[in-house]
Amino acid sequence: MIARRRLQSHPRIVFRPRNEGIRCLSKLSAISSPLLKRAESLAIEHTKLSHQIQHGYDGNLTKRIGELAPISKAWEQWASANKSIKELQEILQDPTTDPELRPIATEEIEQSSLDLPKYFHALQSSLIPRDPFASLPCLLEIRPGAGGSEASLFVADLLRMYQAYCKRHSLHYTLIKLDAETATKASSAGINEAILEIDTPGAYDRLKCEAGVHRVQRVPATETQGRTHTSAASVLVLPSFPDQEGDAAGSAEFGTDDPTSDFYINPSDVRTDVMRARGAGGQHVNTTDSAIRLTHVPTATTVSIQDGRSQHKNRQKAWRVLRSKMAQMRREAREEEKAALRVSVIGVARMGRGDKIRTYNWGQQRVTDHRSGMTVGRLADVLEGGETLDGVMESVKGWQRERDVEALVADEEAAAKKEGAGRRKAS
């Protein structure tokens, strides 16, 4: 106890009590030098802006300070822990250090080292750029892939799964498009296309991990010899935003009138076709010109909506879906460009929405996510949108955070190399 008090009173040491909640690690986590430099520069910027804002309110400064606050806090914790360890190591290396202090210092180094992984992950997470669409609602589009009618039946299964997930998490949703194969209920028929609008803020950030190709392996009801067939369905998760007519403030916020915005579409680039609704659905089908088809001519992107009886409402829905698709396409184009650069620099790539992301195996009653590598055996609970699906989605989000950190490190290292090459050329 006397030795502990003496170590605590040492002028170069800040005593840190034991944290029993953090498990022992054999190695300290490492973080790249470019990433540390970026974190330090952002923390310095936060300090300067915090002093500057004291002389008068400024909305833009306040917003920037709020963005930098998590980074500044994480950097201070990381730097403080590293400084504490360095000072303790210097005391151990000092031949004049009291022998009674050495075992205490060693113990404190081990304890301080246990805090590093926590600060390390906090610093990494704070540096990952926030998705610009994270706070938005979303559109979830499901289409059949390879597999014929069995793929259409699988679309119906996925639609019910996401509807159940939304109900369990109290996420308000609306089925804005349902193109079923027959006039019977979707529960007993295949679906050619379904679009679910989940209008709860933050739904895009929550569900974007579901975008990609979902594969199913099972024996179809029409299979007489018991052979397992493989089919697929594609899930597209798009950011959604307020109607331009219904929410002027939302329109200004997301820049639907700004040519530099991801949400902007030049009306002259869009061809509008008005037609009569087709298929089963009610008296308005085949009797009124309520169906709308929008075609973005430069990209050949087409959206058709005929679910509502009002042509005006169908037009609003079609424009909302088209803007969401264009915003997502533009963002993905930028990500692909960055991914190509990362591959050339460090070999970091990303999994696109066209890759197989998950397999649902009926015979083995299991679900495997091919991104995180997680396999679960409760297939029924997954398809019911239960807690097992939550676990799979969380594993994917963890996998995505790791990829984001790798991409961030690659970007910082590429920038450092470019800066170094520029200095050498200048000299």
Side-chain angles (χ1 to χ4, degrees):
M1 181 63 70
I2 295 176
R4 180 177 290 269
R5 290 200 188 101
R6 292 172 64 186
L7 178 61
Q8 186 173 357
S9 63
H10 195 286
R12 295 167 63 188
I13 293 301
V14 177
F15 183 74
R16 301 170 64 85
R18 177 175 297 276
N19 185 347
E20 297 179 356
I22 303 178
R23 59 178 183 155
C24 293
L25 299 174
S26 59
K27 294 182 180 180
L28 298 181
S29 300
I31 190 168
S32 73
S33 177
L35 218 56
L36 280 176
K37 291 180 180 178
R38 176 173 175 80
E40 184 178 16
S41 65
L42 292 175
I44 292 173
E45 180 185 355
H46 177 266
T47 302
K48 290 181 178 178
L49 294 180
S50 298
H51 289 305
Q52 186 177 342
I53 199 68
Q54 296 176 1
H55 301 292
Y57 177 78
D58 185 294
N60 292 330
L61 279 183
T62 301
K63 181 179 179 181
R64 181 59 176 166
I65 290 172
E67 293 172 348
L68 295 176
I71 300 176
S72 179
K73 179 180 178 181
W75 165 255
E76 289 175 0
Q77 291 175 329
W78 166 265
S80 176
N82 276 277
K83 181 180 179 181
S84 176
I85 291 174
K86 183 178 180 181
E87 291 176 343
L88 286 164
Q89 289 173 337
E90 288 177 353
I91 286 181
L92 288 178
Q93 294 170 2
D94 187 350
T96 62
T97 299
D98 190 330
E100 293 183 4
L101 298 181
R102 291 184 178 277
I104 304 300
T106 301
E107 181 181 351
E108 294 305 320
I109 286 178
E110 293 177 354
Q111 184 56 52
S112 297
S113 299
L114 295 179
D115 290 336
L116 281 184
K118 178 178 65 176
Y119 300 144
F120 166 74
H121 292 301
L123 185 58
Q124 282 185 330
S125 299
S126 67
L127 288 171
I128 296 174
R130 179 173 171 80
D131 191 312
F133 303 147
S135 62
L136 294 178
C138 73
L139 299 173
L140 195 146
E141 179 181 289
I142 315 173
R143 292 174 177 266
S149 60
E150 176 63 19
S152 298
L153 291 171
F154 184 45
V155 170
D157 292 329
L158 291 178
L159 175 61
R160 288 192 295 273
M161 179 181 77
Y162 290 123
Q163 288 175 320
Y165 174 86
C166 291
K167 288 179 181 178
R168 194 169 65 82
H169 289 281
S170 300
L171 304 177
H172 183 266
Y173 68 89
T174 304
L175 187 60
I176 66 173
K177 183 172 184 179
L178 179 64
D179 184 5
E181 287 186 329
T182 68
T184 58
K185 294 182 179 179
S187 60
S188 59
I191 295 176
N192 292 323
E193 182 183 11
I195 300 180
L196 206 62
E197 182 178 32
I198 305 164
D199 53 23
T200 302
Y204 177 77
D205 190 51
R206 191 167 194 163
L207 289 164
K208 65 181 180 180
C209 62
E210 294 300 288
V213 176
H214 296 239
R215 185 177 68 171
V216 59
Q217 295 175 325
R218 62 184 175 188
V219 179
T222 56
E223 172 59 51
T224 58
Q225 299 183 13
R227 292 174 298 187
T228 299
H229 290 220
T230 299
S231 306
S234 65
V235 175
L236 181 61
V237 182
L238 304 168
S240 182
F241 52 96
D243 293 331
Q244 190 169 4
E245 297 182 8
D247 191 337
S251 175
E253 179 182 357
F254 299 116
T256 56
D257 298 324
D258 181 4
T260 63
S261 169
D262 285 341
F263 296 101
Y264 175 78
I265 296 179
N266 189 340
S268 63
D269 290 339
V270 179
R271 184 178 70 246
T272 302
D273 296 314
V274 180
M275 63 200 76
R276 294 190 175 186
R278 296 174 295 176
Q283 293 179 353
H284 73 291
V285 173
N286 294 321
T287 60
T288 60
D289 292 332
S290 58
I292 294 292
R293 181 173 64 217
L294 301 180
T295 303
H296 186 251
V297 177
T299 62
T301 303
T302 301
V303 173
S304 299
I305 297 292
Q306 67 171 32
D307 291 52
R309 298 188 179 188
S310 166
Q311 181 189 120
H312 177 69
K313 290 183 178 180
N314 283 341
R315 188 188 301 271
Q316 282 186 331
K317 289 181 181 179
W319 269 102
R320 190 159 67 248
V321 174
L322 183 61
R323 290 186 189 279
S324 296
K325 285 192 173 185
M326 294 306 302
Q328 186 76 350
M329 286 173 60
R330 288 163 179 163
R331 184 191 170 199
E332 287 183 350
R334 291 195 300 270
E335 289 182 348
E336 291 293 347
E337 184 178 349
K338 289 182 180 180
L341 175 62
R342 290 166 189 150
V343 170
S344 64
V345 173
I346 200 172
V348 178
R350 74 180 185 91
M351 179 176 284
R353 73 184 187 196
D355 296 297
K356 176 187 65 179
I357 64 166
R358 192 176 297 158
T359 295
Y360 304 74
N361 189 298
W362 252 250
Q364 300 177 12
Q365 287 292 292
R366 65 169 172 82
V367 175
T368 298
D369 196 281
H370 304 289
R371 296 161 295 181
S372 65
M374 182 178 187
T375 296
V376 294
R378 302 179 62 191
L379 174 62
D381 189 59
V382 171
L383 294 174
E384 292 171 1
E387 294 182 358
T388 309
L389 178 60
D390 292 347
V392 174
M393 292 173 65
E394 284 302 316
S395 74
V396 175
K397 291 174 183 177
W399 170 87
Q400 186 60 59
R401 282 192 293 269
E402 292 177 359
R403 302 290 81 74
D404 289 342
V405 169
E406 289 179 3
L408 190 61
V409 170
D411 288 343
E412 293 299 323
E413 291 181 349
K417 288 182 179 180
K418 185 177 181 180
E419 182 180 351
R423 287 199 299 266
R424 288 193 297 270
K425 186 176 180 180
S427 60

